[in-house]
Amino acid sequence: MDWLALALGIVGFGIAIYQLCKSRSSLEIARDSLVHTQRSLSRNQVIADIGSFDGILDRIDALAKGTDRDALDEQLKIFSIKAHEVSALLSNVEENTGELEIVLVRVGDSVSLARSKLYDDSDEKLSTLVSDSISKVRVLIPQVKAVGKKLQSTPMAPLPTRKGK
């Protein structure tokens, strides 16, 4: 009877170890799937945000010719936020974009600085107050759009598969 109990105990431990190995494999597959989905969502958000930069710049240009400081302030804020968001997401999506990420942050900061100057001098034309920042944005947009086109034309890497598990 003792030998039978020992044999059943060894078989039981063997089954438990086998189940643990299967659970670990399933956990790794789930983690890989989560990372893949996260990268895919970040990639789609970057593409959408990059696509909106032209429209925001057009609205900023139009508002800078007028006198509505509040509306211009809002559009500058939107651009600055999107620039920082794209910078943060790029590192998750695309390799070798560190320099562009830095430029995006700097331009976003420059636009935020322009926002703070909007209400300093009410006699100053809006176009004069934001011209430096807008010229930086004009230089930045083609670089960012190139990255966006690259992301659109490059398919996502397939989800890694685990053979034999």
Side-chain angles (χ1 to χ4, degrees):
M1 238 1 185
D2 290 336
W3 289 106
L4 181 62
L6 180 63
L8 287 175
I10 291 172
V11 169
F13 277 123
I15 291 172
I17 290 171
Y18 173 74
Q19 290 296 327
L20 284 173
C21 290
K22 280 183 62 175
S23 295
R24 181 175 179 204
S25 177
S26 296
L27 179 62
E28 289 172 356
I29 290 170
R31 186 193 69 230
D32 290 348
S33 178
L34 176 64
V35 168
H36 186 268
T37 302
Q38 196 174 30
R39 287 192 73 192
S40 178
L41 290 172
S42 294
R43 179 178 189 251
N44 291 339
Q45 184 64 45
V46 166
I47 291 169
D49 284 346
I50 287 172
S52 70
F53 281 165
D54 280 331
I56 296 169
L57 182 59
D58 290 344
R59 288 190 293 278
I60 289 171
D61 281 338
L63 290 166
K65 293 174 186 171
T67 59
D68 191 349
R69 290 177 194 272
D70 292 335
L72 180 57
D73 178 60
E74 182 64 24
Q75 291 303 309
L76 291 171
K77 179 175 85 173
I78 290 169
F79 180 86
S80 180
I81 289 169
K82 287 205 179 288
H84 283 90
E85 284 177 359
V86 169
S87 175
L89 291 172
L90 268 177
S91 61
N92 292 337
V93 175
E94 183 69 21
E95 303 284 327
N96 304 320
T97 57
E99 185 176 320
L100 181 59
E101 293 168 35
I102 292 169
V103 172
L104 275 164
V105 169
R106 286 186 183 149
V107 170
D109 290 346
S110 174
V111 168
S112 291
L113 183 62
R115 284 183 64 216
S116 69
K117 293 179 181 179
L118 282 178
Y119 299 98
D120 286 350
D121 186 1
S122 60
D123 294 334
E124 189 80 36
K125 289 175 61 175
L126 294 180
S127 58
T128 304
L129 292 172
V130 297
S131 63
D132 289 341
S133 296
I134 299 308
S135 63
K136 291 176 184 175
V137 170
R138 286 188 202 295
V139 170
L140 172 71
I141 285 182
Q143 296 171 4
V144 174
K145 287 181 86 170
V147 170
K149 290 294 181 189
K150 181 180 175 187
L151 288 173
Q152 284 178 328
S153 65
T154 306
M156 277 289 290
L159 187 60
T161 59
R162 298 192 186 272
K163 295 182 180 175
K165 297 197 180 197

